[in-house]
């Protein structure tokens, strides 16, 4: 039974007791009143009055007979008869009590007969007085006295009976009164006990209920607040119960795992995320506040860094998607390996050539000495190129490069780049520039345009180890100038066309085996083109050569007009 039901029950009992007290308090006085009215007020008292009146009238009748006997006055005689009639009327009236006051019947009949006995004696007395028989009158008076005494005795019996009735009524009243007192006291005591119990228990229980309700409300509020706060936390937060069933799943968890909250809540975590089992194996230390990396296979493989706290009733997991960081980290370490290899190659050549010149310089022919010196120059340039690329990429990332915009004769820039590259290009490469004369000017930074073209051309040659055509073309396309660099080299998978523009991104070493690079060239190209309000993309198939395109906006004015 709940506390509320108990309280309701107790209050119901108290109300019932109070109603009972009220009913008893109303009923008993009514009964008392009825009883006294019936026996006492309606019957016994009037009866008493009638009997007393009868006695009085009979005494008066006797007195009138005595007065007549002395005076023989006719008026007194008439008065006597009317008194006798009144006595009869009174006796008749008394008979009406027979039904209501049982046991009186005999006495009333007796009173009537003794009254008529008195009447007989009185009439005799009056007759003897009329006959002037003085001694007979005296004898008759004595007889009257005797008869009257007997009548008086009956009247006294009737009064006594009436008194008994009133006494009985009073006694009954007393009894009913006592019953009332007892019932009221019992009910009152019960009521007071219950009220006291309620008084003592209810405030405490209500207080406790209020307290616990307050506590629950505060807890619910703080839970809701925590949940609201967790909605805005970018890290994933997952709460499982002791069975590992998910109870809470914030939007960060949805972002990290790609699984919506409604699909997660109520499901066991290890079933929802493949590999989660591995985490718990890997990782008892995790529950002590450490963190672990879990690969999770969703649409693509994602790496989650998971921290967890076991709080007895369940576990809270904080999840961060570190896929990007991990990729970056891998790229960085790849870069360190690549860059150090890239730097080492020209350094080795330079140091080899320099040593040869130092040790055997004198014995070398002038041509050979020249060749070694040329090697030092070329490799130093290459070294400087690599270092420049690394520095430029860093400056781009730090937002430290300045880019101007002016009307530029793109064709002449392209021609100068192609000419410069051609100087060093391997003989198997056939370089070509396709463009109409009189092209509209391009709005860009001429040095950066030169750099982009140079990078793309260098790549085209570098990734065409077997030689072939390398063609640069320029043609207007709407409001832009489209530049293209085509080669017939090793190409790449179309699916890599976007990735190769990422920083440090080099394709599978098996594809580019033997071809050095830092993975920064295309990244630099993309950043520069985009900063000049253009776009860049690539198309290729493995073994079928590659085409790199970029577009820059046309200038409104002609070259030199700005
Ligand atoms: P890298 O220094 O490695 O050349 P880039 O950023 O210039 O760096 O190029 C990134 C990757 O794109 C290269 O490692 C290579 O795999 C691929 N790539 C670039 N240009 C070409 C091309 N013309 N033909 C085939 N693959 C290319």
């Amino acid at each position: 039974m709940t506390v509320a039901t108990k309280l309701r029950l107790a209050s119901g009992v108290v109300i019932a007791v109070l109603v009972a007290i009220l009913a008893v308090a109303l009923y008993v006085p009514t009964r008392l009143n009825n009883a006294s009215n019936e026996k006492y007020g309606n019957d016994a008292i009037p009866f008493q009055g009638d009997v007393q009146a009868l006695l009085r009238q009979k005494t008066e009748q006797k007195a009138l007979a005595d007065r007549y006997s002395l005076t023989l006055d006719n008026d007194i005689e008439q008065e006597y008869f009317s008194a006798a009639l009144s006595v009869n009327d009174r006796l008749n009236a008394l008979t009406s009590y027979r039904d209501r006051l049982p046991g009186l019947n005999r006495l009333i009949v007796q009173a009537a007969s003794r009254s008529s006995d008195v009447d007989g004696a009185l009439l005799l007395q009056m007759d003897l007085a009329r006959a002037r028989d003085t001694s007979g009158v005296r004898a008759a008076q004595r007889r009257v006295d005797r008869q009257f005494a007997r009548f008086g005795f009956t009247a006294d019996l009737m009064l006594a009976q009436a008194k008994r009735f009133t006494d009985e009524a009073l006694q009954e009243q007393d009894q009913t009164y006592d019953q009332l007192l007892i019932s009221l006291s019992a009910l009152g005591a019960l009521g007071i006990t219950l009220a006291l119990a309620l008084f003592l228990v209810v405030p405490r229980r209500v207080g406790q209920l209020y307290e616990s309700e307050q506590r629950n409300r505060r807890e619910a509020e703080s839970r809701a607040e925590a949940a609201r706060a967790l909605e805005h936390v970018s890290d994933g937060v997952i709460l499982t119960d002791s069975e590992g069933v998910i109870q809470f799943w914030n939007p960060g968890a949805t972002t990290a795992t790609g699984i919506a909250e409604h699909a997660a809540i109520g499901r066991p975590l290890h079933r929802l995320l493949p590999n989660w089992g591995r985490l718990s194996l890997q990782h008892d230390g995790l529950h002590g506040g450490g963190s672990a990396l879990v690969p999770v296979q969703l649409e693509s493989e994602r790496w989650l860094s998971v921290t967890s706290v076991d709080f007895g009733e369940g576990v809270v997991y904080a999840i961060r998607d570190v896929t990007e960081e991990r990729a970056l980290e891998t790229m960085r370490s790849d870069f360190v390996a690549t860059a150090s290899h890239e730097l080492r190659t020209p350094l080795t050549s330079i140091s080899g050539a320099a040593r040869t010149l130092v040790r055997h310089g004198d014995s070398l022919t002038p041509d050979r000495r020249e060749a070694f010196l040329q090697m030092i120059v070329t490799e130093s340039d290459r070294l400087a190129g690599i270092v420049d690329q690394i520095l430029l990429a860093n400056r781009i990332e730090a937002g430290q490069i300045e880019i101007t915009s002016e009307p530029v004769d793109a064709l002449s820039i392209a021609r100068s780049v192609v000419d410069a590259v051609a100087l060093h290009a391997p003989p198997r490469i056939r370089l070509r520039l396709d463009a109409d004369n009189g092209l509209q000017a391009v709005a860009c930074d001429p040095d950066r345009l030169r750099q982009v073209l140079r990078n793309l051309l260098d790549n085209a040659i570098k990734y065409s180890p077997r030689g072939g055509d390398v063609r640069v073309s320029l043609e207007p396309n709407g409001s832009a100038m489209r530049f293209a660099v085509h080669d017939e080299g090793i190409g790449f998978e179309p699916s890599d066309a976007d990735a190769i523009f990422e920083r440090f991104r080099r394709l599978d070493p098996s594809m580019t085996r033997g071809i050095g690079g830092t993975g920064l060239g295309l990244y630099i190209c993309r950043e520069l083109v985009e900063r000049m309000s253009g776009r860049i993309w690539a198309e290729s198939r493995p073994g079928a050569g590659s085409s790199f395109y970029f577009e820059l906006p046309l200038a409104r004015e002609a070259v030199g007009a700005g």
Side-chain angles (χ1 to χ4, degrees):
M1 207 189 293
T2 66
V3 179
T5 321
K6 281 184 193 161
L7 282 176
R8 222 169 280 145
L9 205 70
S11 317
V13 172
V14 171
I15 291 170
V17 169
L18 290 175
V19 169
I21 291 175
L22 192 69
V24 171
L26 286 175
Y27 168 73
V28 175
T30 316
R31 252 199 75 192
L32 279 176
N33 188 37
N34 287 349
S36 64
N37 274 356
E38 274 170 24
K39 290 232 163 116
Y40 194 73
N42 296 348
D43 302 327
I45 300 287
F47 178 74
Q48 249 176 344
D50 280 342
V51 173
Q52 279 162 350
L54 176 70
L55 260 177
R56 227 176 20 253
Q57 284 169 336
K58 204 69 195 170
T59 310
E60 200 180 304
Q61 188 190 349
K62 183 172 165 280
L64 284 169
D66 285 345
R67 276 175 62 201
Y68 176 77
S69 302
L70 285 177
T71 59
L72 295 180
D73 184 339
N74 280 345
D75 288 344
I76 295 175
E77 189 183 21
Q78 287 312 309
E79 273 185 54
Y80 168 83
F81 283 121
S82 47
L85 280 175
S86 299
V87 168
N88 270 350
D89 287 345
R90 184 69 62 185
L91 276 169
N92 281 336
L94 283 178
T95 51
S96 69
Y97 288 100
R98 279 184 314 194
D99 301 334
R100 283 172 285 159
L101 301 172
L104 277 178
N105 196 17
R106 195 181 53 81
L107 285 175
I108 292 169
V109 171
Q110 199 180 61
S113 106
R114 289 190 172 171
S115 168
S116 73
D117 288 351
V118 172
D119 287 354
L122 286 173
L123 285 176
L124 182 66
Q125 178 193 329
M126 284 160 71
D127 283 346
L128 290 171
R130 245 179 261 117
R132 322 246 178 221
D133 181 353
T134 317
S135 61
V137 168
R138 234 175 273 125
Q141 275 177 331
R142 278 196 297 279
R143 200 171 152 220
V144 165
D145 285 343
R146 274 200 308 278
Q147 295 298 351
F148 198 89
R150 289 181 65 200
F151 169 77
F153 180 69
T154 305
D156 283 346
L157 280 181
M158 283 197 291
L159 283 176
Q161 184 72 5
K163 188 165 180 305
R164 232 183 50 232
F165 282 134
T166 47
D167 285 351
E168 269 175 23
L170 281 175
Q171 207 178 341
E172 208 171 300
Q173 256 184 357
D174 278 352
Q175 264 177 15
T176 317
Y177 179 69
D178 288 349
Q179 280 171 6
L180 169 71
L181 273 188
I182 292 168
S183 321
L184 284 179
S185 312
L187 286 170
L190 187 61
I192 287 170
T193 314
L194 279 168
L196 254 176
L198 284 178
F199 176 75
L200 292 176
V201 171
V202 169
R204 193 152 42 90
R205 282 305 295 158
V206 168
Q208 284 169 351
L209 281 177
Y210 180 73
E211 275 285 297
S212 82
E213 197 271 336
Q214 287 282 86
R215 212 171 28 246
N216 289 344
R217 195 170 53 76
R218 275 199 299 275
E219 268 174 27
E221 269 174 13
S222 71
R223 263 203 301 276
E225 256 168 41
R228 261 200 307 280
L230 290 174
E231 303 270 297
H232 303 285
V233 171
S234 57
D235 283 4
V237 178
I238 301 174
L239 172 72
T240 64
D241 62 12
S242 50
E243 308 289 310
V245 176
I246 298 164
Q247 305 295 323
F248 178 80
W249 185 272
N250 78 340
T254 301
T255 315
T257 60
I259 298 169
E261 182 188 0
H262 65 84
I265 298 284
R267 291 187 59 195
L269 186 54
H270 65 276
R271 291 235 188 96
L272 193 66
L273 295 175
N275 278 332
W276 199 261
R278 257 172 59 187
L279 167 76
S280 38
L281 283 182
Q282 217 180 39
H283 178 9
D284 268 345
L286 174 70
H287 294 161
S291 72
L293 273 186
V294 204
V296 175
Q297 195 59 47
L298 298 164
E299 270 167 28
S300 58
E301 189 181 61
R302 320 264 334 150
W303 282 85
L304 304 181
S305 152
V306 182
T307 324
S308 72
V309 180
D310 190 338
F311 61 96
E313 290 158 37
V315 184
V316 185
Y317 295 93
I319 293 183
R320 208 151 52 81
D321 185 347
V322 291
T323 315
E324 310 292 319
E325 280 108 311
R326 217 181 120 83
L328 207 62
E329 202 43 55
T330 315
M331 265 193 312
R332 259 184 225 286
S333 58
D334 287 354
F335 167 72
V336 171
T338 316
S340 46
H341 175 261
E342 278 303 292
L343 293 172
R344 179 154 284 283
T345 317
L347 266 179
T348 314
S349 309
I350 292 168
S351 104
R355 269 177 222 281
T356 312
L357 286 173
V358 168
R359 289 198 196 138
H360 313 287
D362 294 345
S363 56
L364 290 176
T365 63
D367 285 354
R368 299 214 63 169
R369 200 181 308 134
E370 176 63 30
F372 278 117
L373 284 172
Q374 191 54 51
M375 181 191 280
I376 291 175
V377 171
T378 312
E379 292 303 313
S380 304
D381 286 350
R382 192 172 149 197
L383 205 56
I386 294 169
V387 172
D388 281 352
Q389 226 177 23
I390 294 172
L391 289 176
L392 180 61
N394 266 351
R395 276 174 48 220
I396 286 175
E397 204 190 351
Q400 286 170 347
I401 50 157
E402 265 182 38
I403 295 203
T404 60
S405 179
E406 57 190 83
V408 168
D409 179 356
L411 183 56
S412 80
I413 289 190
R415 192 172 291 129
S416 73
V417 174
V418 170
D419 289 347
V421 169
L423 286 178
H424 309 284
R428 285 169 306 191
I429 296 287
R430 290 178 301 277
L431 264 173
R432 241 173 62 205
L433 173 63
D434 282 351
D436 293 339
N437 280 324
L439 287 175
Q440 206 178 326
V442 174
C444 68
D445 183 326
D447 291 338
R448 303 303 175 194
L449 172 60
R450 202 171 279 120
Q451 195 155 14
V452 173
L453 277 171
R454 177 75 197 237
N455 278 2
L456 294 179
L457 266 175
D458 282 349
N459 274 355
I461 294 168
K462 195 161 72 168
Y463 295 104
S464 301
R466 296 208 190 116
D469 284 349
V470 172
R471 191 166 61 86
V472 180
S473 69
L474 275 77
E475 60 176 338
N477 180 29
S479 59
M481 178 71 75
R482 177 176 291 186
F483 301 79
V485 177
H486 308 278
D487 66 55
E488 296 175 336
I490 59 173
F492 51 84
E493 292 288 348
S495 57
D496 288 325
D498 285 335
I500 52 177
F501 290 96
E502 286 168 17
R503 207 150 48 112
F504 305 135
R505 181 59 68 107
R506 308 202 70 231
L507 292 182
D508 186 354
S510 65
M511 279 186 66
T512 58
R513 197 165 3 164
I515 304 173
T518 54
L520 288 173
L522 289 181
Y523 165 73
I524 290 172
C525 289
R526 187 190 66 188
E527 293 300 311
L528 293 179
V529 168
E530 285 180 357
R531 279 171 168 75
M532 291 189 289
S533 314
R535 63 189 188 105
I536 187 167
W537 70 100
E539 289 168 4
S540 181
R541 266 184 302 116
S546 316
S547 297
F548 285 81
Y549 301 92
F550 68 95
E551 284 182 354
L552 291 174
L554 292 173
R556 295 219 185 87
E557 308 99 53
V559 179

